[in-house]
Amino acid sequence: MSRSERSPLLLAGLLATAGVAHFAVPRSFDATVPRALPGSARAWTYASGVAELALAAGVALPRTRKAAALATAAFFVGVFPANVKMAWDWRHRPTALKAVAVGRLPLQAPLVLWARSVANGTEGRA
C-alpha cells in the first residue's frame, strides 16, 4: 500500500482513536471544554467524540473522503480553543505536563494541513 493510500486510513485511525477516547475517559476531555459554551462539558465531550467517529468513517470511505476530510480540517480548527484552554489551565502543572499542553498547540496546523491534503488527494506527494 502506497503512502498516499495509507494517509487517509491513518487519519481515520487517529480520529477513531480520539473519538473512542472521548467515551472511554470523558473526564479528561470535559476539563478542556471552554466554559463559554452552553450546556454541560460532558455533552460537548460526547458530541466531539461522535463527530470524530463520524469523521473517521467518512475519511475511511473513498466515496465520502473529500467532504469528510474537509470537515475534519474544520473540526481541527474548531477544537483549537479547547487546546488553548488546556494549555492555560495546565500552566501551573509540572514542566513535562505543561510541555505536553503547550506542544499540542502547534500540532493543530499540521493536522489541518494533513486533512486538507487527504481531501485534495495530495497526501504523500512531493
Side-chain angles (χ1 to χ4, degrees), residues 2-63:
S2 73
R3 183 174 168 189
S4 64
E5 292 170 324
R6 281 192 319 264
S7 186
L9 299 179
L10 291 171
L11 180 58
L14 173 76
L15 289 162
T17 300
V20 168
H22 279 73
F23 293 95
V25 286
R27 201 166 139 193
S28 62
F29 293 96
D30 291 348
T32 67
V33 175
R35 288 182 195 93
L37 291 175
S40 71
R42 183 60 52 93
W44 284 102
T45 293
Y46 287 156
S48 180
V50 167
E52 285 171 321
L53 292 170
L55 291 168
V59 168
L61 299 171
R63 198 173 83 207

Side-chain angles (χ1 to χ4, degrees), residues 19-115:
V20 168
H22 279 73
F23 293 95
V25 286
R27 201 166 139 193
S28 62
F29 293 96
D30 291 348
T32 67
V33 175
R35 288 182 195 93
L37 291 175
S40 71
R42 183 60 52 93
W44 284 102
T45 293
Y46 287 156
S48 180
V50 167
E52 285 171 321
L53 292 170
L55 291 168
V59 168
L61 299 171
R63 198 173 83 207
T64 56
R65 181 167 295 149
K66 183 173 183 166
L70 289 173
T72 296
F75 179 82
F76 287 149
V77 170
V79 299
F80 186 73
N83 292 338
V84 170
K85 180 182 183 307
M86 179 181 176
W88 177 257
D89 289 348
W90 287 25
R91 69 190 181 281
H92 300 299
R93 293 207 179 177
T95 303
L97 292 177
K98 282 192 288 195
V100 167
V102 171
R104 288 176 51 146
L105 299 177
L107 289 177
Q108 289 301 117
L111 288 172
V112 170
L113 294 174
W114 182 17

